[in-house]
């Protein structure tokens, strides 16, 4: 069995606590790895390494940082398959989804290479009185990143490449359920020439996070995970004077208007609801069908969903893998059973499903629930599994009201051919990311990623321009140059200008 330790100061470090937790292969249910669970002492060692590295990295040139990031990008590119295999082995998602995850993470590394241009600052020269005003952005120091299990490579890559491009050093605490990709990302960063201590990984659970949140040398915390933990992280780290961005959970809706292309809407609903077994913060988990199209849409979704092949992520024939843990699988199943008791029509029931030869895996099939009550737990809670709820609305207004009543506000989409309705939806819906005729509106390019309401605590979305602002702070330097007789330059404008 593999043992996974911490990565501190550019090398593997065994935990002082000696405590370990299990990592299982979700397809077999068998433990494959024992992962170190950090004590406060281990966290302190990682923060100390990051703080020491910051003394030089924080003032290194933008060109030097960018050069490392370019080399890192090339190394990651060469290790796509290896990283994807690590993801599949511990998370369970199918290899093609794991490759897609690595590709998305790589995009952010590329953005980090380019985004350092935003750090060049602005200068305004008030030549008349020999005053220069320079607005610059500087790094914060040591940043802690705490990440969820569902994108064990991509979410860390949303954070540390940009944070270190901005001159910070980083301590990452990945999910204890699938920690190997994060350790590999750190090893490759060292191989690319990142100085020791700039990126550190402490493995562990709540105890490690508790220490990071109060550590006096941690300047900022980036968190991605569930809403209750995001709320707690934001409150605790803020109370200890840290800058915090905490992205939470979601219940993403898709509004299907009567004029929509129903085949396109059904394709989108199926890929967005059941892709990666629904373990995505951008998964569509509620479709709101407006007017008479509901029955036809449900039939189209059912026909497509029934064809999805479920199996081990490493099998190229599999289109959907298992869930992360057995306990999570059982919880998802209980939502399906509860919805039926609370009046939903169960069109597809994925509970009780198993894969021959892999009976101990964390399997569940696809569930499709129609006419779900807005009071039911299946509708109100984030299920984070392959369960799609369908609701009916009488009108566009009725549908948008329903969506806006959700406490979550991560992503949402509308399917329609009516440009006016689409535009109205973009403006009226309460969510951080909105799609028109697209299943999952994940921003790319220099745009940032983040939600509204209970899907985000803190002011900044992640990566993109918001990321640069989060990982830096502004400083304005005003300089009055000496009098001409002291060697200054006076271009002859009135002295009182
Ligand atoms: N908004 C987004 O961009 C986004 C992206 C991906 C995942 N998510 C959300 O993440 C969740 C799934 O991931 P998860 O189950 O790993 O989330 P989680 O909240 O259980 O765990 C996230 C991280 O917090 C740590 N943690 C857990 N409990 C803690 C506690 N009590 N105190 C301190 N730290 C604690 C975990 O070790 C992990 O590193 C879903 O809710 C999903 O929507 C959100």
């Amino acid at each position: 069995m593999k043992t996974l330790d911490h990565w501190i100061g550019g090398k593997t470090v065994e935990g002082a606590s000696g405590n370990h937790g299990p990592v299982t292969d979700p397809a077999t249910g068998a433990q494959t790895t024992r992962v170190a669970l950090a004590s406060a002492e281990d966290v302190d060692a990682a923060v100390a390494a990051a703080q020491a590295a910051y003394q030089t990295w924080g003032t290194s040139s933008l060109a030097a940082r960018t050069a490392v990031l370019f080399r890192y990008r090339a190394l990651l590119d060469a290790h796509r398959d290896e990283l994807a295999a690590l993801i599949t082995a511990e998370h369970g998602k199918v290899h093609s989804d794991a490759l897609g995850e690595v590709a998305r993470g790589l995009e952010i590394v590329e953005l980090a290479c380019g985004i350092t241009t935003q750090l060049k600052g602005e200068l305004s020269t008030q030549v008349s009185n020999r005053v220069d005003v320079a607005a610059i952005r500087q790094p914060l120091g040591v940043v802690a990143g705490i990440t969820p299990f569902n994108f064990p490579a991509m979410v860390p890559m949303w954070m540390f490449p940009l944070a270190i491009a901005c001159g910070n050093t980083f301590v990452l605490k990945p999910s204890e359920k699938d920690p190997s990709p994060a350790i590999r990302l750190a090893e490759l960063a060292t191989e690319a020439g990142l100085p020791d201590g700039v990126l550190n990984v402490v493995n562990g659970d709540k105890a490690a996070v508790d220490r990071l949140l109060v550590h006096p040398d941690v300047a900022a915390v980036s968190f991605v995970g569930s809403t209750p933990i995001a709320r707690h992280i934001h409150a605790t780290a803020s109370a200890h004077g840290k800058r915090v961005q905490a992205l939470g959970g979601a219940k993403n809706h898709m509004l299907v208007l009567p004029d929509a292309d129903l085949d396109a809407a059904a394709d989108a609903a199926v890929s967005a609801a059941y892709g990666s077994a629904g373990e995505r913060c951008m998964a569509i988990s509620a479709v709101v069908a407006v007017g008479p199209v509901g029955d036809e849409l449900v039939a189209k979704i059912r026909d497509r969903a029934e064809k999805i092949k479920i199996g081990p992520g490493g099998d190229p024939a599999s289109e959907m893998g298992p869930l992360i843990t057995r306990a999570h699988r059982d919880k998802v199943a209980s939502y399906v059973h509860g919805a039926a008791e609370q009046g939903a029509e169960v069109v597809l029931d994925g509970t009780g499903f198993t894969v021959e030869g892999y009976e101990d895996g964390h399997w569940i099939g696809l569930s499709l629930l129609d006419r779900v009550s807005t009071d039911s737990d299946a509708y109100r809670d984030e299920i984070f599994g392959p369960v799609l709820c369908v609701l009916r609305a009488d009108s566009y207004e009725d549908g948008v009201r329903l969506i806006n009543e959700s406490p979550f506000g991560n992503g949402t989409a509308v399917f329609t051919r009516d440009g006016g309705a689409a535009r109205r939806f973009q403006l009226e819906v309460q969510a951080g990311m909105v799609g028109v005729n697209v299943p999952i509106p994940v921003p790319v390019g220099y745009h940032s990623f983040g939600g509204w309401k209970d899907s985000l605590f803190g002011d900044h979305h992640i990566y993109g321009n918001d990321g640069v602002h989060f990982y830096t702070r502004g400083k304005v330097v005003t300089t009055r140059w000496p009098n001409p007789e002291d060697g200054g330059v006076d271009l002859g404008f009135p002295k009182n200008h």
Side-chain angles (χ1 to χ4, degrees):
M1 187 179 304
K2 181 170 110 181
T3 296
L4 204 63
D5 295 306
H6 312 294
W7 186 262
I8 299 175
K11 59 179 189 302
T12 297
V13 173
E14 279 180 32
S17 74
N19 293 333
H20 292 86
V23 177
T24 53
D25 175 351
T28 63
Q31 183 179 344
T32 56
T33 302
R34 47 199 293 277
V35 61
L37 299 178
S39 61
E41 202 180 332
D42 299 322
V43 172
D44 289 357
V47 175
Q51 179 75 336
Y54 180 67
Q55 305 314 313
T56 41
W57 185 254
T59 49
S60 60
S61 75
L62 294 182
R65 290 179 215 157
T66 310
V68 176
L69 283 164
F70 270 113
R71 287 199 297 274
Y72 187 42
R73 194 252 164 235
L75 258 185
L76 291 172
D77 189 32
H79 287 81
R80 283 175 194 254
D81 263 318
E82 183 205 336
L83 284 163
L86 280 178
I87 294 169
T88 295
E90 293 184 356
H91 176 281
K93 66 179 72 173
V94 297
H95 191 65
S96 56
D97 282 350
L99 276 174
E101 169 173 353
V102 175
R104 275 289 296 154
L106 262 171
E107 275 176 23
I108 305 301
V109 176
E110 284 158 3
L111 293 177
C113 293
I115 217 158
T116 50
T117 58
Q118 288 198 17
L119 301 172
K120 63 188 184 303
E122 293 165 359
L123 178 73
S124 66
T125 309
Q126 297 167 28
V127 286
S128 57
N129 55 4
R130 297 189 306 278
V131 168
D132 288 342
V133 182
I136 59 173
R137 296 202 70 83
Q138 292 188 302
L140 306 173
V142 178
V143 176
I146 301 151
T147 53
F149 78 82
N150 66 319
F151 284 105
M154 184 187 77
V155 174
M157 288 158 95
W158 283 358
M159 299 176 178
F160 72 78
L162 192 54
I164 63 179
C166 290
N168 302 283
T169 55
F170 207 86
V171 178
L172 172 66
K173 205 301 283 172
S175 171
E176 64 276 30
K177 294 177 183 134
D178 47 8
S180 290
I183 289 286
R184 192 68 189 120
L185 287 174
E187 287 170 354
L188 290 171
T190 300
E191 208 175 315
L194 191 70
D196 294 348
V198 175
L199 173 62
N200 309 277
V201 182
V202 279
N203 282 308
D205 50 17
K206 180 180 181 307
V209 177
D210 286 348
R211 177 61 185 152
L212 282 169
L213 295 183
V214 303
H215 196 296
D217 291 337
V218 170
V221 177
S222 285
F223 173 86
V224 175
S226 61
T227 287
I229 309 298
R231 187 182 273 118
H232 157 71
I233 299 278
H234 185 254
T236 310
S238 303
H240 285 82
K242 301 179 193 324
R243 186 176 285 196
V244 198
Q245 57 179 176
L247 278 71
K251 190 87 187 177
N252 305 306
H253 291 71
M254 176 188 287
L255 184 70
V256 181
L257 297 181
D259 70 333
D261 175 341
L262 290 191
D263 285 308
D267 284 341
V270 168
S271 74
Y274 303 118
S276 292
E279 289 177 327
R280 291 192 290 201
C281 65
M282 288 295 274
I284 291 291
S285 39
V287 165
V288 181
V290 175
V293 297
D295 288 347
E296 193 183 344
L297 182 63
V298 168
K300 284 178 185 291
I301 293 173
R302 182 202 58 218
D303 292 349
R304 286 161 171 77
E306 277 175 338
K307 295 194 180 90
I308 291 180
K309 175 148 177 19
I310 302 170
D315 179 346
S318 303
E319 294 169 295
M320 189 182 111
L323 295 185
I324 185 74
T325 60
R326 192 162 297 138
H328 183 53
R329 188 271 312 273
D330 294 344
K331 192 168 169 209
V332 172
S334 74
Y335 275 113
V336 177
H337 297 142
E341 283 159 21
Q342 290 175 293
E345 288 175 21
V346 181
V347 181
L348 292 175
D349 181 351
T351 63
F353 177 87
T354 191
V355 173
E356 209 183 316
Y358 292 87
E359 283 76 10
D360 290 334
H362 314 148
W363 304 107
I364 192 160
L366 283 60
S367 294
L368 179 60
L369 308 171
D370 194 10
R371 299 184 184 279
V372 176
S373 155
T374 51
D375 292 329
S376 64
D377 297 331
Y379 176 67
R380 299 182 78 84
D381 295 353
E382 179 185 39
I383 298 178
F384 222 55
V387 180
L388 178 61
C389 298
V390 180
L391 292 91
R392 310 299 178 101
D394 293 334
S395 61
Y396 164 88
E397 288 77 12
D398 195 22
V400 172
R401 179 189 48 75
L402 211 148
I403 295 172
N404 284 346
E405 278 172 5
S406 167
F408 300 104
N410 214 36
T412 184
V414 64
F415 272 74
T416 179
R417 292 183 170 100
D418 177 349
R423 183 155 194 276
R424 209 179 143 189
F425 183 80
Q426 292 169 24
L427 299 176
E428 291 178 349
V429 80
Q430 294 171 12
M433 294 165 282
V434 182
V436 175
N437 297 320
V438 296
I440 295 202
V442 174
V444 290
Y446 289 97
H447 299 286
S448 309
F449 182 108
W452 285 15
K453 302 197 280 188
D454 285 359
S455 296
L456 176 76
F457 301 88
D459 299 329
H460 291 89
H461 286 192
I462 211 156
Y463 67 77
N465 297 340
D466 255 28
V468 173
H469 275 254
F470 182 77
Y471 291 128
T472 56
R473 53 190 157 184
K475 182 182 276 178
V476 180
V477 181
T478 303
T479 308
R480 181 183 293 280
W481 295 103
N483 290 324
E485 54 273 22
D486 296 331
V489 179
D490 189 340
L491 298 180
F493 291 91
K495 294 235 181 320
N496 62 355
H497 183 63

